[in-house]
Amino acid sequence: MQDMVRRADPALIDKLAAERDLTDAEFLLLLQQEDPGLDAILFSKAREVRERIYGKDVYIRGLVEFTNYCKNNCHYCGIRRDNHNAERYRLSGEEILSCCEQGYALGFRTFVLQGGEDPYYSDEDMVSIIRSIKSSHPDAALTLSIGERTKESYQAFFEAGADRYLLRHETADPEHYGFLHPKEMSFERRIQCLSELRSIGYQVGCGMMIGSPGQTTEHLIRDIRLIQKLGPEMVGIGPFIPHHDTPYADEAPGSVQLTLRLLSIIRLILPEVLLPATTALGTLDVKGREKGLLAGANVLMPNLSPGSVRKKYLLYDNKICTGEEAAECIRCLGLRVETAGYRIVESRGDHISRYQPN
Ligand code: 5AD
Ligand code: FES
Protein backbone atom coordinates (compact mmCIF):
# COMPACT_ATOMS: atom_id res chain seq x y z
CA MET A 1 0.00 0.00 0.00
CA GLN A 2 2.80 2.34 1.01
CA ASP A 3 4.40 1.56 -2.35
CA MET A 4 1.21 2.44 -4.23
CA VAL A 5 1.05 5.81 -2.56
CA ARG A 6 4.67 6.63 -3.24
CA ARG A 7 4.75 5.63 -6.89
CA ALA A 8 4.36 8.62 -9.17
CA ASP A 9 1.59 8.34 -11.72
CA PRO A 10 1.89 9.59 -15.34
CA ALA A 11 -1.39 11.43 -14.71
CA LEU A 12 0.67 13.76 -12.53
CA ILE A 13 2.50 14.96 -15.63
CA ASP A 14 -0.77 15.64 -17.46
CA LYS A 15 -1.95 17.57 -14.44
CA LEU A 16 1.28 19.57 -14.33
CA ALA A 17 0.98 20.40 -18.03
CA ALA A 18 -2.69 21.36 -17.79
CA GLU A 19 -2.62 23.33 -14.55
CA ARG A 20 1.03 24.44 -14.61
CA ASP A 21 1.14 23.49 -10.99
CA LEU A 22 1.12 20.61 -8.52
CA THR A 23 0.82 20.35 -4.78
CA ASP A 24 4.03 20.17 -2.75
CA ALA A 25 3.40 16.47 -2.13
CA GLU A 26 3.00 15.84 -5.86
CA PHE A 27 6.17 17.78 -6.74
CA LEU A 28 7.97 15.74 -4.08
CA LEU A 29 6.83 12.50 -5.70
CA LEU A 30 7.80 13.66 -9.18
CA LEU A 31 11.24 14.82 -8.06
CA GLN A 32 12.03 11.77 -5.99
CA GLN A 33 10.78 9.01 -8.30
CA GLU A 34 13.46 7.15 -10.22
CA ASP A 35 11.41 5.69 -13.07
CA PRO A 36 13.11 6.28 -16.45
CA GLY A 37 9.76 5.65 -18.16
CA LEU A 38 8.14 8.45 -16.21
CA ASP A 39 11.07 10.79 -16.87
CA ALA A 40 10.70 10.07 -20.59
CA ILE A 41 7.03 11.12 -20.44
CA LEU A 42 7.94 14.25 -18.48
CA PHE A 43 10.69 15.27 -20.92
CA SER A 44 8.47 14.68 -23.92
CA LYS A 45 5.64 16.78 -22.46
CA ALA A 46 8.13 19.61 -21.78
CA ARG A 47 9.42 19.36 -25.36
CA GLU A 48 5.90 19.53 -26.69
CA VAL A 49 5.21 22.74 -24.77
CA ARG A 50 8.56 24.27 -25.78
CA GLU A 51 7.92 23.46 -29.45
CA ARG A 52 4.44 24.93 -29.31
CA ILE A 53 5.97 28.28 -28.31
CA TYR A 54 9.48 28.35 -29.75
CA GLY A 55 9.24 25.67 -32.46
CA LYS A 56 12.59 24.04 -33.16
CA ASP A 57 14.55 27.26 -32.57
CA VAL A 58 17.48 27.36 -30.17
CA TYR A 59 18.74 30.77 -29.08
CA ILE A 60 22.42 31.37 -28.46
CA ARG A 61 23.89 33.89 -26.02
CA GLY A 62 27.52 34.89 -26.32
CA LEU A 63 29.04 34.80 -22.86
CA VAL A 64 31.86 37.24 -22.14
CA GLU A 65 33.45 36.35 -18.80
CA PHE A 66 35.14 39.69 -18.36
CA THR A 67 36.50 39.46 -14.82
CA ASN A 68 37.17 36.63 -12.40
CA TYR A 69 37.93 38.96 -9.49
CA CYS A 70 35.20 38.59 -6.89
CA LYS A 71 34.68 40.28 -3.56
CA ASN A 72 32.37 37.50 -2.42
CA ASN A 73 33.29 34.22 -0.86
CA CYS A 74 30.48 31.80 -1.76
CA HIS A 75 31.48 28.40 -0.44
CA TYR A 76 30.78 26.59 -3.74
CA CYS A 77 32.48 28.91 -6.20
CA GLY A 78 35.97 28.53 -7.67
CA ILE A 79 36.50 32.28 -8.07
CA ARG A 80 35.63 33.09 -4.43
CA ARG A 81 37.84 35.73 -2.85
CA ASP A 82 39.69 33.29 -0.60
CA ASN A 83 40.83 31.10 -3.48
CA HIS A 84 44.36 32.41 -3.74
CA ASN A 85 45.19 29.80 -6.36
CA ALA A 86 42.84 31.40 -8.89
CA GLU A 87 44.81 33.39 -11.46
CA ARG A 88 42.88 36.62 -11.67
CA TYR A 89 42.22 38.63 -14.85
CA ARG A 90 40.18 41.56 -16.06
CA LEU A 91 39.25 42.47 -19.63
CA SER A 92 39.36 46.10 -20.76
CA GLY A 93 36.39 47.78 -22.40
CA GLU A 94 38.11 47.38 -25.79
CA GLU A 95 38.69 43.67 -25.21
CA ILE A 96 35.05 43.16 -24.22
CA LEU A 97 33.88 45.02 -27.31
CA SER A 98 36.17 42.97 -29.51
CA CYS A 99 34.66 39.72 -28.11
CA CYS A 100 31.23 41.06 -29.04
CA GLU A 101 32.45 42.02 -32.55
CA GLN A 102 33.66 38.47 -33.10
CA GLY A 103 30.45 37.08 -31.66
CA TYR A 104 28.35 39.30 -33.90
CA ALA A 105 30.21 37.99 -36.95
CA LEU A 106 29.47 34.44 -35.77
CA GLY A 107 25.75 35.20 -35.61
CA PHE A 108 25.24 36.13 -31.96
CA ARG A 109 22.51 38.69 -31.27
CA THR A 110 22.67 38.53 -27.48
CA PHE A 111 25.75 39.19 -25.41
CA VAL A 112 26.02 38.31 -21.74
CA LEU A 113 28.59 40.20 -19.71
CA GLN A 114 29.32 37.97 -16.76
CA GLY A 115 31.83 38.41 -13.99
CA GLY A 116 32.58 38.05 -10.35
CA GLU A 117 31.44 40.91 -8.14
CA ASP A 118 34.29 43.22 -9.01
CA PRO A 119 34.05 46.84 -7.80
CA TYR A 120 37.08 47.68 -10.00
CA TYR A 121 34.47 48.35 -12.70
CA SER A 122 32.69 51.47 -11.50
CA ASP A 123 29.16 52.31 -12.59
CA GLU A 124 30.66 54.78 -15.06
CA ASP A 125 32.93 52.07 -16.50
CA MET A 126 29.99 49.69 -16.92
CA VAL A 127 27.81 52.40 -18.43
CA SER A 128 30.47 53.23 -20.97
CA ILE A 129 30.99 49.53 -21.87
CA ILE A 130 27.23 49.02 -22.20
CA ARG A 131 26.85 52.13 -24.38
CA SER A 132 29.67 51.13 -26.68
CA ILE A 133 28.30 47.61 -27.22
CA LYS A 134 24.76 48.88 -27.80
CA SER A 135 25.89 51.60 -30.20
CA SER A 136 27.99 49.15 -32.23
CA HIS A 137 25.19 46.57 -32.25
CA PRO A 138 21.81 48.20 -31.73
CA ASP A 139 20.07 45.06 -32.98
CA ALA A 140 21.62 42.90 -30.27
CA ALA A 141 20.34 42.38 -26.73
CA LEU A 142 22.66 42.91 -23.81
CA THR A 143 22.45 40.86 -20.63
CA LEU A 144 24.34 41.61 -17.44
CA SER A 145 25.33 38.99 -14.89
CA ILE A 146 27.50 40.82 -12.41
CA GLY A 147 25.79 40.08 -9.12
CA GLU A 148 24.45 42.39 -6.46
CA ARG A 149 24.71 46.14 -7.00
CA THR A 150 22.65 49.07 -5.75
CA LYS A 151 19.32 49.92 -7.32
CA GLU A 152 20.88 53.14 -8.62
CA SER A 153 23.56 51.14 -10.44
CA TYR A 154 20.99 48.79 -11.91
CA GLN A 155 19.00 51.83 -13.05
CA ALA A 156 22.05 53.45 -14.66
CA PHE A 157 22.95 50.24 -16.54
CA PHE A 158 19.37 49.93 -17.77
CA GLU A 159 19.33 53.51 -18.99
CA ALA A 160 22.64 52.89 -20.77
CA GLY A 161 20.94 50.11 -22.75
CA ALA A 162 21.22 46.84 -20.82
CA ASP A 163 18.11 44.76 -21.53
CA ARG A 164 18.34 41.74 -19.28
CA TYR A 165 19.87 40.70 -15.98
CA LEU A 166 20.76 37.26 -14.67
CA LEU A 167 21.01 36.87 -10.92
CA ARG A 168 20.55 33.34 -9.71
CA HIS A 169 18.82 33.19 -6.36
CA GLU A 170 20.92 30.03 -5.67
CA THR A 171 18.39 28.59 -3.19
CA ALA A 172 14.96 29.80 -2.09
CA ASP A 173 15.41 28.53 1.45
CA PRO A 174 16.90 31.30 3.63
CA GLU A 175 18.56 28.83 5.97
CA HIS A 176 20.12 26.90 3.09
CA TYR A 177 21.19 30.25 1.58
CA GLY A 178 22.97 30.98 4.85
CA PHE A 179 24.65 27.58 4.70
CA LEU A 180 25.99 28.09 1.14
CA HIS A 181 27.15 31.66 1.66
CA PRO A 182 29.31 33.60 4.09
CA LYS A 183 27.57 35.58 6.81
CA GLU A 184 27.83 38.93 5.06
CA MET A 185 25.52 37.77 2.26
CA SER A 186 21.78 37.56 2.72
CA PHE A 187 18.88 35.88 1.00
CA GLU A 188 16.69 38.93 1.64
CA ARG A 189 19.13 41.19 -0.19
CA ARG A 190 19.28 38.76 -3.12
CA ILE A 191 15.49 38.75 -3.47
CA GLN A 192 15.42 42.51 -3.10
CA CYS A 193 17.90 42.81 -6.00
CA LEU A 194 15.68 40.61 -8.16
CA SER A 195 12.64 42.70 -7.39
CA GLU A 196 14.54 45.96 -8.05
CA LEU A 197 15.73 44.64 -11.39
CA ARG A 198 12.21 43.66 -12.27
CA SER A 199 10.74 47.03 -11.27
CA ILE A 200 13.34 48.89 -13.34
CA GLY A 201 12.16 46.99 -16.41
CA TYR A 202 14.84 44.38 -17.03
CA GLN A 203 13.95 40.96 -18.34
CA VAL A 204 15.09 38.98 -15.34
CA GLY A 205 16.61 35.56 -14.82
CA CYS A 206 16.89 33.69 -11.53
CA GLY A 207 18.03 30.13 -10.93
CA MET A 208 19.74 27.65 -8.70
CA MET A 209 22.23 24.83 -8.63
CA ILE A 210 20.87 21.31 -8.44
CA GLY A 211 22.47 19.11 -5.79
CA SER A 212 24.34 21.84 -3.94
CA PRO A 213 25.58 20.70 -0.53
CA GLY A 214 22.78 20.48 2.01
CA GLN A 215 20.03 20.74 -0.62
CA THR A 216 16.89 18.66 -0.01
CA THR A 217 13.87 17.99 -2.23
CA GLU A 218 11.93 20.39 0.00
CA HIS A 219 14.41 23.13 -0.90
CA LEU A 220 13.82 22.42 -4.59
CA ILE A 221 10.08 22.75 -4.04
CA ARG A 222 10.72 26.14 -2.45
CA ASP A 223 12.75 27.03 -5.55
CA ILE A 224 9.78 26.05 -7.74
CA ARG A 225 7.46 28.21 -5.60
CA LEU A 226 9.84 31.17 -5.85
CA ILE A 227 10.07 30.79 -9.64
CA GLN A 228 6.26 30.71 -9.83
CA LYS A 229 5.97 33.81 -7.69
CA LEU A 230 8.64 35.81 -9.48
CA GLY A 231 7.61 34.70 -12.99
CA PRO A 232 11.07 35.40 -14.47
CA GLU A 233 11.73 35.58 -18.21
CA MET A 234 14.74 33.27 -17.79
CA VAL A 235 15.75 30.53 -15.38
CA GLY A 236 19.32 29.26 -15.22
CA ILE A 237 19.82 25.90 -13.59
CA GLY A 238 22.69 23.45 -13.63
CA PRO A 239 24.15 20.75 -11.46
CA PHE A 240 26.51 21.67 -8.63
CA ILE A 241 30.06 20.58 -9.45
CA PRO A 242 32.76 20.68 -6.77
CA HIS A 243 35.83 22.88 -7.23
CA HIS A 244 39.05 21.57 -5.69
CA ASP A 245 40.04 24.91 -4.10
CA THR A 246 36.77 25.53 -2.22
CA PRO A 247 35.37 24.30 1.10
CA TYR A 248 33.16 21.96 -0.97
CA ALA A 249 36.08 20.21 -2.70
CA ASP A 250 35.01 16.80 -1.42
CA GLU A 251 31.25 17.15 -1.88
CA ALA A 252 29.39 15.02 -4.42
CA PRO A 253 28.25 16.64 -7.67
CA GLY A 254 24.55 17.14 -8.43
CA SER A 255 22.56 14.65 -10.49
CA VAL A 256 22.15 15.13 -14.24
CA GLN A 257 18.82 13.28 -14.21
CA LEU A 258 17.42 15.48 -11.44
CA THR A 259 18.59 18.58 -13.32
CA LEU A 260 16.76 17.39 -16.44
CA ARG A 261 13.63 16.72 -14.38
CA LEU A 262 13.74 20.28 -13.06
CA LEU A 263 14.27 21.73 -16.53
CA SER A 264 11.08 19.95 -17.63
CA ILE A 265 9.13 21.05 -14.58
CA ILE A 266 10.18 24.68 -15.07
CA ARG A 267 9.19 24.51 -18.75
CA LEU A 268 5.77 23.18 -17.73
CA ILE A 269 5.11 25.76 -15.01
CA LEU A 270 6.36 28.68 -17.16
CA PRO A 271 5.81 27.61 -20.79
CA GLU A 272 7.37 30.75 -22.33
CA VAL A 273 10.46 30.82 -20.13
CA LEU A 274 13.95 31.02 -21.66
CA LEU A 275 15.79 28.02 -20.33
CA PRO A 276 19.46 27.33 -21.03
CA ALA A 277 21.04 23.89 -21.24
CA THR A 278 24.05 24.97 -19.19
CA THR A 279 27.77 24.38 -19.50
CA ALA A 280 27.69 22.72 -16.06
CA LEU A 281 25.22 20.16 -17.45
CA GLY A 282 27.55 19.57 -20.41
CA THR A 283 30.47 19.21 -18.03
CA LEU A 284 28.92 16.40 -15.97
CA ASP A 285 27.65 14.49 -18.99
CA VAL A 286 29.10 14.64 -22.53
CA LYS A 287 25.55 14.61 -23.87
CA GLY A 288 24.24 16.88 -21.11
CA ARG A 289 23.35 19.84 -23.28
CA GLU A 290 21.58 17.69 -25.88
CA LYS A 291 19.67 16.00 -23.06
CA GLY A 292 18.81 19.43 -21.67
CA LEU A 293 17.38 20.53 -25.03
CA LEU A 294 15.35 17.33 -25.16
CA ALA A 295 13.98 18.03 -21.68
CA GLY A 296 12.63 21.49 -22.59
CA ALA A 297 15.66 23.82 -22.64
CA ASN A 298 15.81 26.27 -25.57
CA VAL A 299 18.94 28.36 -24.99
CA LEU A 300 22.70 27.75 -25.16
CA MET A 301 25.32 30.09 -23.78
CA PRO A 302 28.67 29.47 -25.44
CA ASN A 303 31.78 31.30 -24.42
CA LEU A 304 33.05 34.31 -26.35
CA SER A 305 35.83 35.15 -23.89
CA PRO A 306 39.35 35.35 -25.34
CA GLY A 307 41.10 31.96 -25.43
CA SER A 308 43.83 33.21 -23.09
CA VAL A 309 41.46 33.76 -20.13
CA ARG A 310 38.98 30.91 -20.58
CA LYS A 311 40.88 28.48 -18.38
CA LYS A 312 40.84 31.06 -15.60
CA TYR A 313 37.08 31.48 -15.25
CA LEU A 314 36.67 28.22 -13.39
CA LEU A 315 33.64 28.18 -11.12
CA TYR A 316 33.95 24.37 -10.87
CA ASP A 317 36.34 21.58 -11.92
CA ASN A 318 36.67 20.13 -15.44
CA LYS A 319 34.70 22.93 -17.10
CA ILE A 320 34.26 22.26 -20.82
CA CYS A 321 34.79 24.70 -23.70
CA THR A 322 37.92 26.30 -22.28
CA GLY A 323 39.74 25.86 -25.62
CA GLU A 324 41.05 28.72 -27.74
CA GLU A 325 38.23 29.33 -30.20
CA ALA A 326 34.71 30.70 -29.99
CA ALA A 327 34.10 29.55 -33.56
CA GLU A 328 34.94 25.99 -32.53
CA CYS A 329 32.19 25.98 -29.89
CA ILE A 330 29.70 27.33 -32.35
CA ARG A 331 30.43 24.57 -34.87
CA CYS A 332 30.33 21.95 -32.14
CA LEU A 333 27.07 23.32 -30.74
CA GLY A 334 25.52 23.50 -34.19
CA LEU A 335 26.10 19.76 -34.58
CA ARG A 336 24.82 19.00 -31.10
CA VAL A 337 21.67 21.03 -31.64
CA GLU A 338 21.09 19.28 -34.97
CA THR A 339 21.48 15.87 -33.35
CA ALA A 340 18.74 16.85 -30.92
CA GLY A 341 16.51 17.81 -33.88
CA TYR A 342 16.68 21.59 -33.35
CA ARG A 343 18.37 24.55 -35.08
CA ILE A 344 20.35 27.54 -33.88
CA VAL A 345 18.81 30.84 -34.99
CA GLU A 346 20.42 34.25 -35.44
CA SER A 347 18.08 36.27 -33.25
CA ARG A 348 17.95 38.30 -30.06
CA GLY A 349 15.78 35.46 -28.83
CA ASP A 350 13.44 37.56 -26.74
CA HIS A 351 11.03 36.05 -24.28
CA ILE A 352 7.73 35.40 -26.04
CA SER A 353 4.96 36.54 -23.77
CA ARG A 354 1.30 37.01 -24.31
CA TYR A 355 1.52 39.83 -21.81
CA GLN A 356 4.33 41.69 -23.58
CA PRO A 357 2.93 44.97 -24.94
CA ASN A 358 5.18 45.17 -28.06
N1 5AD B 1 29.02 24.29 -9.61
C1 5AD B 1 28.00 24.62 -10.42
N2 5AD B 1 27.59 25.89 -10.61
C2 5AD B 1 28.25 26.86 -9.96
N3 5AD B 1 28.06 28.18 -9.92
C3 5AD B 1 29.00 28.72 -9.11
N4 5AD B 1 29.79 27.76 -8.60
C4 5AD B 1 29.33 26.58 -9.11
C5 5AD B 1 29.72 25.23 -8.94
N5 5AD B 1 30.73 24.88 -8.15
C6 5AD B 1 26.95 28.84 -10.58
C7 5AD B 1 26.19 29.73 -9.60
C8 5AD B 1 26.34 31.11 -10.19
C9 5AD B 1 26.59 30.82 -11.64
C10 5AD B 1 27.27 31.92 -12.38
O1 5AD B 1 27.40 29.67 -11.62
O2 5AD B 1 24.82 29.33 -9.56
O3 5AD B 1 25.20 31.92 -10.01
FE1 FES C 1 32.33 24.34 -26.87
FE2 FES C 1 31.50 21.97 -27.95
S1 FES C 1 30.38 23.71 -27.38
S2 FES C 1 33.54 22.74 -27.72
Side-chain angles (χ1 to χ4, degrees):
M1 187 63 195
Q2 184 65 12
D3 204 39
M4 293 272 295
V5 177
R6 292 187 59 84
R7 193 176 304 137
D9 187 326
L12 217 52
I13 296 167
D14 292 326
K15 179 180 173 193
L16 175 57
E19 298 178 13
R20 300 184 186 181
D21 201 7
L22 291 176
T23 64
D24 285 5
E26 288 167 333
F27 272 129
L28 192 87
L29 264 182
L30 194 55
L31 288 168
Q32 289 188 338
Q33 56 79 29
E34 291 288 345
D35 174 354
L38 201 75
D39 277 341
I41 299 172
L42 176 65
F43 301 160
S44 122
K45 187 56 92 178
R47 264 195 320 269
E48 192 183 306
V49 167
R50 168 257 204 266
E51 289 176 23
R52 199 173 70 223
I53 294 157
Y54 292 102
K56 301 278 186 190
D57 293 355
V58 171
Y59 300 137
I60 49 170
R61 321 296 196 197
L63 195 60
V64 182
E65 297 158 339
F66 69 98
T67 171
N68 71 349
Y69 280 84
C70 191
K71 69 175 163 69
N72 283 339
N73 217 10
C74 307
H75 303 321
Y76 46 83
C77 186
I79 63 168
R80 65 202 301 269
R81 141 186 111 223
D82 280 356
N83 180 9
H84 300 294
N85 292 329
E87 227 186 288
R88 306 287 170 171
Y89 73 90
R90 292 185 174 110
L91 300 185
S92 66
E94 292 77 49
E95 287 171 312
I96 297 172
L97 194 60
S98 139
C99 293
C100 297
E101 297 299 339
Q102 288 175 37
Y104 193 89
L106 289 168
F108 288 89
R109 295 297 176 268
T110 291
F111 304 112
V112 183
L113 302 190
Q114 186 173 86
E117 290 195 15
D118 183 2
Y120 172 87
Y121 297 87
S122 66
D123 285 1
E124 293 70 33
D125 293 333
M126 289 312 301
V127 160
S128 122
I129 293 167
I130 294 163
R131 285 219 179 98
S132 67
I133 296 173
K134 289 295 283 196
S135 68
S136 306
H137 303 296
D139 57 332
L142 186 57
T143 306
L144 298 179
S145 177
I146 55 172
E148 297 180 9
R149 292 246 183 173
T150 63
K151 186 172 185 190
E152 291 68 38
S153 306
Y154 288 153
Q155 183 73 47
F157 305 155
F158 187 74
E159 282 164 17
D163 305 279
R164 308 178 185 147
Y165 206 103
L166 302 176
L167 182 68
R168 288 193 180 178
H169 64 279
E170 311 296 357
T171 173
D173 184 273
E175 209 173 299
H176 188 223
Y177 192 94
F179 176 80
L180 293 175
H181 298 96
K183 274 193 281 300
E184 64 270 19
M185 290 177 73
S186 96
F187 176 70
E188 289 67 34
R189 174 68 195 132
R190 179 68 50 140
I191 297 304
Q192 189 190 7
C193 285
L194 282 164
S195 93
E196 288 169 358
L197 289 162
R198 179 33 83 70
S199 73
I200 290 169
Y202 283 97
Q203 295 174 48
V204 170
C206 67
M208 67 280 183
M209 289 176 289
I210 310 301
S212 57
Q215 186 182 65
T216 64
T217 311
E218 284 74 16
H219 293 153
L220 289 172
I221 295 169
R222 293 199 74 161
D223 289 320
I224 292 173
R225 297 297 174 216
L226 180 85
I227 291 167
Q228 286 175 319
K229 191 166 157 215
L230 188 69
E233 282 76 20
M234 306 161 286
V235 178
I237 67 164
F240 161 74
I241 305 174
H243 183 290
H244 62 280
D245 281 325
T246 64
Y248 291 159
D250 297 324
E251 298 288 337
S255 144
V256 168
Q257 199 65 13
L258 184 58
T259 305
L260 297 173
R261 229 171 267 156
L262 276 146
L263 282 172
S264 291
I265 290 173
I266 296 166
R267 170 63 62 206
L268 293 173
I269 60 176
L270 289 179
E272 297 99 354
V273 77
L274 295 160
L275 203 54
T278 54
T279 305
L281 192 57
T283 295
L284 273 195
D285 181 330
V286 275
K287 289 262 152 66
R289 285 167 299 177
E290 290 89 323
K291 290 180 183 173
L293 293 174
L294 291 171
N298 67 329
V299 173
L300 291 168
M301 301 175 67
N303 208 318
L304 290 180
S305 314
S308 54
V309 304
R310 282 190 190 194
K311 288 191 175 60
K312 300 181 184 164
Y313 199 84
L314 294 184
L315 308 182
Y316 45 81
D317 288 340
N318 306 313
K319 188 179 174 208
I320 53 167
C321 303
T322 53
E324 285 299 310
E325 277 264 358
E328 210 172 286
C329 280
I330 260 298
R331 270 192 299 276
C332 167
L333 280 178
L335 288 171
R336 289 170 185 275
V337 167
E338 238 173 75
T339 321
Y342 294 111
R343 58 169 176 257
I344 290 178
V345 292
E346 193 177 291
S347 149
R348 278 171 54 112
D350 277 298
H351 179 260
I352 295 177
S353 168
R354 275 165 296 158
Y355 308 109
Q356 212 160 279
N358 47 353

